Amino acid sequence: MKQLLTILSLAFITTIGCAQDNPPFIETPETQSYSYKIVADGIDIPWGLAFITPEDFLVTEKSGTLYRVVNGIKTTVEGLPPIYTRGQGGLLDVALHPDFSNNNIIYITLSTDVEEDGLGGNTALYCAKLTDTSLEDLKLLYKATPNTNKGQHWGSRIVFDQEGHLYFSIGDRGNRDENPQDINRDGGKIYRLNLDGSIPEDNPHVGINGAKTAVYSYGHRNPQALVMHPETGVLWETEHGPRGGDEINIIQKGKNYGWPTITYGINYSGTPITDKKEMEGMEQPFYYWIPSIGPSGMAFSTSGIYPEWKGNLFAGSLAFQYLERLVIENNKVVKREKVLDQIGRLRNVVQGPDGYLYVGVEGKGILKIIPNS
Amino acid sequence: MKFFILLYGISIGVLTTLLLPEKTKEESIEAGAEIYQDFCVQCHLPNGMGVSGVFPPLQNSDFLRNNIDLSIAGLKYGLSGKIIVNEEEYNGVMANQGLENEEIADVMNYILNTWGNSYSGQITTEQVELISEKNLLPK
């Protein structure tokens, strides 16, 4: 009897321990309406991707190499600052200044141990002028503090709005109890700066004593995708949850996105983090993934090059090694589908200036998705 | 006499450095558990089972058992390309995690002695120091 009880209670614990998959469930289409072409190869972890033209683009490799790829030929760009490669950290995102064609300025986020604020490292944002294949006028615009030797959750992505702002993300740096909910601390935040690195006067925490005034939103775990919605101009984000609870968020100024006070995920070990999924004063995700897909990179397809995909959202899946297509209707995800199933750990997706979707795949490089004619 | 005292002193010093690693095996395993939770658990999971076809298992892994030096080199320099683990093919990328040699020794001791794995010896910092990129080639 005792044994039966033990088995029953174990079964019960197991059942409630495994959160239910969150609908809509992922679909694998029977026929493929596309093929792909490798446009840059031999890049272990292609983290960031920024197009100058469709045939001329920049790719970051996580371990610390910035490539300029012209007509498929890659050249290493010289002049990067020192990079602190540890755990998930390294050379992260790259983005062109909105007026790049006139000023040749690029922005990069990376892990660094510069500045004497303790052992370890943290995420930094730099800008520099790109001349051919070298960087000049390197300038540190933001460096999160304090340093830590944790390997987790550095972020990071960079995007721009139409009003002269730059946004970038930093994860909670493996310190969820102290960083994400405290606006006086770095980590677990989306930041907003002017293009010259100064802090916009209308940032939400400007004038608050002790606050990190570059902070735009907080309560994030590890945001590795940022994109401006092509119609609303609003900032969209994805972040890695723990086990379950990866999120898509629509980012609003000054809002708290809840980590780790509320979450749809649990610890990797299966133990709970909190029993709370919602709370007054904290934002709900637009969508959450259970199980975790490991989202990195995100893009809307707006070009019409893939007629059936127009307006859809695309997110890279590191964990399941595909590109996820999300159909959104009436402010809700109504369909999820695998694209490039089993292609490899999908690190990034970008809509190029030619309207094609380009993805960064670990161990492969940059792939261009070509619709069947 | 003085000479003998000096020799005795030097011998003790040398022997201590050579024979006694800075941590006991148990201490190293304990420190390794913490490293594992920070750097490894996302892919290889808390039970060391990994994800079939994507992230190779560390629990009861024939590849790990037969390639200790290569595994250490993988942690030190990163590992990519095709490997066969328990008759299943893996073709991924494990980035260099930027761990110190001592941390690599600790996490190896944890992995080699957890989830039913057992390894009679102890991976030492000195052993990790001696591993070079040449060790990345499989036997």
Side-chain angles (χ1 to χ4, degrees), chain A residues 324-358:
Chain A
E324 181 159 319
R325 177 167 86 92
L326 298 111
V327 181
I328 296 165
E329 282 171 14
N330 300 321
N331 248 350
K332 232 181 133 177
V333 176
V334 295
K335 182 184 169 76
R336 297 169 53 220
E337 190 181 86
K338 289 183 185 180
V339 179
L340 295 171
D341 193 17
Q342 294 307 307
I343 193 75
R345 279 165 63 77
L346 212 135
R347 176 49 75 183
N348 195 12
V349 53
V350 170
Q351 179 173 271
D354 54 1
Y356 285 87
L357 289 171
Y358 292 82

Side-chain angles (χ1 to χ4, degrees), chain A residues 171-199:
Chain A
D172 70 14
R173 295 297 290 109
N175 187 356
R176 71 186 190 200
D177 294 332
E178 289 189 279
N179 291 340
Q181 287 296 321
D182 187 347
I183 59 161
N184 297 338
R185 293 178 68 92
D186 279 313
K189 313 286 183 333
I190 310 286
Y191 296 80
R192 183 173 79 164
L193 299 176
N194 294 318
L195 296 178
D196 63 359
S198 62
I199 292 181

Side-chain angles (χ1 to χ4, degrees), chain B residues 13-65:
Chain B
V14 169
L15 282 173
T16 312
T17 327
L18 286 182
L19 297 181
L20 293 177
E22 41 302 87
K23 291 193 184 92
T24 66
K25 188 172 172 183
E26 285 66 34
E27 285 165 349
S28 177
I29 291 171
E30 203 182 316
E34 212 167 296
I35 297 289
Y36 189 84
Q37 293 308 320
D38 189 352
F39 293 85
C40 319
V41 75
Q42 293 92 340
C43 298
H44 294 288
L45 304 187
N47 57 9
M49 290 295 282
V51 176
S52 177
V54 187
F55 307 120
L58 303 171
Q59 180 186 140
N60 190 26
S61 156
D62 59 354
F63 183 88
L64 177 63
R65 266 197 307 272

Side-chain angles (χ1 to χ4, degrees), chain A residues 86-88 151-152 321 345, chain B residues 38 42 46 54-55 97-98 103:
Chain A
R86 187 161 162 99
Q88 299 165 1
Q152 298 176 329
Q321 312 200 66
R345 279 165 63 77
Chain B
D38 189 352
Q42 293 92 340
V54 187
F55 307 120
Q97 298 293 309
E103 294 174 318

